[in-house]
Amino acid sequence: MVKTLTVAALPAVLELPWLLWPVLFVWGGAMVAFYTLALALMGARFRGETLAKATSALVITYCLGSIVGPLAIGGAMDWLGPPGFITGMVAVSALLAGVAAARLHAERF
């Protein structure tokens, strides 16, 4: 959610350097936190060989995202122009937040 809000705030703060840098700082921290959180959750759920397999799957997924993500955002920028960056990032962040919320809801009920 924080990632989605900080990306959505970028157009409003681009001309305000005193506000832009804190928003970028929080956005970067939120992006890095996903990987760290995934490792912590896997460590809590899996043990032994299963943990090694889960970690391998996470690394593969992370690497695929590092390849596909910039291509997708570049495609959005080709299609929509410069606003495609913000639009693509907000869409992906909102999708991730939605999936996380749905999983949390499913685990509770």
Side-chain angles (χ1 to χ4, degrees):
M1 189 67 164
V2 171
K3 183 178 172 186
T4 305
L5 293 175
T6 54
V7 172
L10 281 178
V13 299
L14 282 176
E15 300 299 324
L16 306 168
W18 61 274
L19 194 54
L20 175 63
W21 291 109
V23 168
L24 291 175
F25 180 79
V26 171
W27 180 35
M31 288 185 359
V32 172
F34 283 123
Y35 185 75
T36 306
L37 180 61
L39 287 174
L41 290 172
M42 284 189 316
R45 180 175 270 189
F46 302 114
R47 295 282 179 253
E49 183 181 330
T50 310
L51 178 59
K53 289 178 182 179
T55 304
S56 297
L58 174 68
V59 170
I60 290 169
T61 304
Y62 188 83
C63 289
L64 285 174
S66 296
I67 294 168
V68 173
L71 294 173
I73 298 302
M77 290 177 69
D78 283 344
W79 185 44
L80 300 171
F85 175 79
I86 301 296
T87 304
M89 293 297 288
V90 166
V92 171
S93 296
L95 177 66
L96 179 61
V99 169
R103 290 207 45 155
L104 283 173
H105 181 71
E107 287 180 7
R108 288 185 184 162
F109 298 104

